[in-house]
Amino acid sequence: MGRATKDDGEAAINTALDQQRTTAGIELNEILDSNRYLQLLEHLHHDAAAPPFTLNLSTKSDNRTPLVIDDAILVLPSLVRSQWKALHRKVRKAGAHPSAKELHQIRIASKQLRYAAEAATPVIGKDARRMAKGAERLQTILGEHHDAISAEDWLAHSIPRSEEVANFAAGEMSAKQQKIQQDMIRQWHKAWTKLYRKKVLRWLG
């Protein structure tokens, strides 16, 4: 019997990963076939076709009164500004050396800001588009950081300790994930600073 190699270790890791992927795929298909998911799709389709821009002012569900709203160009900046403030608070609270958990929360807030700015882009134009792009960049960097942490954690807990060759390969892979984390930590603050520029924020008022 030949001596175990690095390829053997990586093969063992891939086998463990394939087994988990298969199980997760089965669980996902069960959810997608569930009545709950189909009802969700039905609600989304209905609201997309007829957005609920009305307000029920009586106890009768069929008596709906149209809302009187300002022009979108006046309303959208304040709506996006609330998402911006939420992101800014998280960054400020995290300080100069944020934890992995804090960076994950900043990523979530940057994603929410991105979606808000993208929704405002057709009305606001290039200023909203610039903010959406900056938020997307921040989200991407912190997403890669979070993925690397998850990968390292999986490698640490999903490989049987009896698999010596697999553990050696997992150690090498973990080192690569740690390097990715360090690289993303160096990049995220630069992306945040770029997003924080006045010309990106000026339309928020």
Side-chain angles (χ1 to χ4, degrees):
M1 187 173 182
R3 183 178 179 181
T5 66
K6 177 182 176 181
D7 289 342
D8 294 329
E10 292 179 353
I13 292 173
N14 287 332
T15 297
L17 186 59
D18 286 341
Q19 291 172 346
Q20 289 194 11
R21 184 185 292 113
T22 299
T23 300
I26 294 172
E27 294 174 351
L28 177 60
N29 286 330
E30 290 176 352
I31 293 173
L32 295 180
D33 288 336
S34 68
N35 288 332
R36 181 181 179 186
Y37 180 71
L38 295 177
Q39 289 172 359
L40 172 62
L41 291 181
E42 185 177 342
H43 287 311
L44 290 173
H45 178 73
H46 176 271
D47 287 347
F53 295 145
T54 56
L55 177 65
N56 187 355
L57 297 179
S58 74
T59 57
K60 296 181 179 180
S61 60
D62 59 344
N63 185 1
R64 300 181 69 82
T65 303
L67 285 171
V68 177
I69 62 172
D70 294 324
D71 291 341
I73 198 169
L74 301 177
V75 175
L76 285 171
S78 64
L79 296 177
V80 178
R81 185 165 61 244
S82 65
Q83 299 298 329
W84 162 256
K85 287 183 177 179
L87 172 59
H88 185 249
R89 282 195 301 269
K90 291 184 184 300
V91 173
R92 184 173 56 189
K93 183 178 179 181
H97 302 288
S99 65
K101 183 178 180 179
E102 288 171 327
L103 288 175
H104 180 52
Q105 293 301 315
I106 292 171
R107 180 186 72 85
I108 293 174
S110 66
K111 178 173 64 174
Q112 293 170 338
L113 174 63
R114 170 196 169 187
Y115 291 159
E118 286 177 345
T121 295
V123 175
I124 303 299
K126 65 178 182 180
D127 287 336
R129 187 181 303 110
R130 185 182 291 118
M131 172 171 281
K133 290 294 184 182
E136 181 181 12
R137 174 61 178 162
L138 180 60
Q139 174 194 344
T140 298
I141 291 172
L142 294 179
E144 291 186 20
H145 177 266
H146 181 69
D147 289 347
I149 290 177
S150 298
E152 183 185 2
D153 182 70
W154 185 88
L155 288 166
H157 297 95
S158 299
I159 308 301
R161 294 192 177 277
S162 59
E163 298 277 356
E164 293 185 6
V165 177
N167 275 283
F168 180 79
E172 290 189 328
M173 292 180 180
S174 292
K176 292 179 181 178
Q177 298 306 316
Q178 290 171 3
K179 184 179 185 304
I180 291 174
Q181 293 170 43
Q182 294 168 358
D183 291 342
M184 296 305 104
I185 287 175
R186 283 193 292 268
Q187 292 182 36
W188 88 268
H189 199 270
K190 182 178 180 180
W192 163 251
T193 301
K194 189 174 182 180
L195 177 60
Y196 193 75
R197 292 179 304 174
K198 288 184 178 180
K199 68 179 182 179
V200 176
L201 305 176
R202 61 189 176 188
W203 66 282
L204 295 181

